[in-house]
Amino acid sequence: ASHNPIEYNGLKFIVRGGRFTNETEVAELLRTQDLLGQTVDKVQEGLGVIEVETCAGDGHVAKILDSVDNEKIRAKKFHVVVDAINASGAVITPTLLRKLGAEVTVINGEQTGKFAHEPEPLPKNLGALGDKVREVGANVGFALDPDADRLVIVDETGTILCEELTLALSFLSILGSANPPAGGGDIVINLSTSRINEDIAEKFGTRCFRSKVGEANVMGKISEVHAIAGGEGGGGVIYPSINAARDSLTGMALILDLMAREDKKLTEIVATIPQYEMRKDKFPFAGDLPKVYAAIREVFPDAEANTDDGLRLAFPDKSWIHLRPSNTEPIVRLIGEAPTRERIDSLFATCGKCLGK
């Protein structure tokens, strides 16, 4: 189930239009969950037709290839290393990359579902990928999570990039394309995603909207404002002209398209992106969150407040903090960003006092 350990494995439900279920649809599924225990024949008899699709991957790869500059990417003959974490992307990812003319080195590429390391694509879990990029002299490395919706990038030096940069680089690729798809150039991110993306939108003269945390919420906002693309800072790229969900394969193609178009190493491209200090913490908490929100707002009366999903405060110096309860654990998450480490640490210390930490 996404980046979680195997004991939390589960199912993803996709509805008409190719998007994942939203909160209302999940509630409806739960109300009818007894149907899941019936035999296939009974479900088929009662609800409609069951179809088996064994070539969906081929169609998805073809759609991605149609959306990037194949000739320019192939001409570069990129060497790409992929950590497929023994899961969903192990077969389709090398197929896509080879069709883009890449030499592909795969680690953890057996589709066994038995993960070779902790499955979340965090730097502490991706040392082998960085080592392999350096060993073979690759241009880039890509790390997937088990359901292949998140993408983390390793540059040509073997350095694991912040997961927030996946989305930023993808937006640079889309907005800087000579022929971006119709529908306008606005982008959507969630309230906990880096403001690097706001800077990128400003560079291209477009708007950056924010939604509540959660893929379904981002996709809902994309549809509402007719945005060209969106995503979440954990490495989740949503490009609706290809897929109405986070998609690592789309992200890989966009990154290679950007590298080919710019004719630069990844480190050179990253050096052009604004730099911020980001911090992400979580705390056990079972108290009165509205009271905490009020206390924080009292300390920062001049900050711009957003209460769509917990409390997010934005400051004139481009700093921001976002405090929200977890949907799955008795904790609160505090995420923030600032131009300097001292500034973000100061903001977190103040919020910690309000939380009684």
Side-chain angles (χ1 to χ4, degrees), residues 4-16:
N4 296 303
I6 197 165
E7 62 265 28
Y8 297 113
N9 205 0
L11 299 172
K12 276 187 160 182
F13 295 94
I14 302 170
V15 296
R16 185 169 299 179

Side-chain angles (χ1 to χ4, degrees), residues 194-214:
S194 174
R195 70 152 292 124
I196 291 172
N197 303 291
E198 295 180 43
D199 293 336
I200 290 172
E202 184 177 344
K203 172 184 176 180
F204 288 97
T206 188
R207 296 173 296 177
C208 179
F209 294 90
R210 288 188 181 265
S211 76
K212 294 172 63 176
V213 173

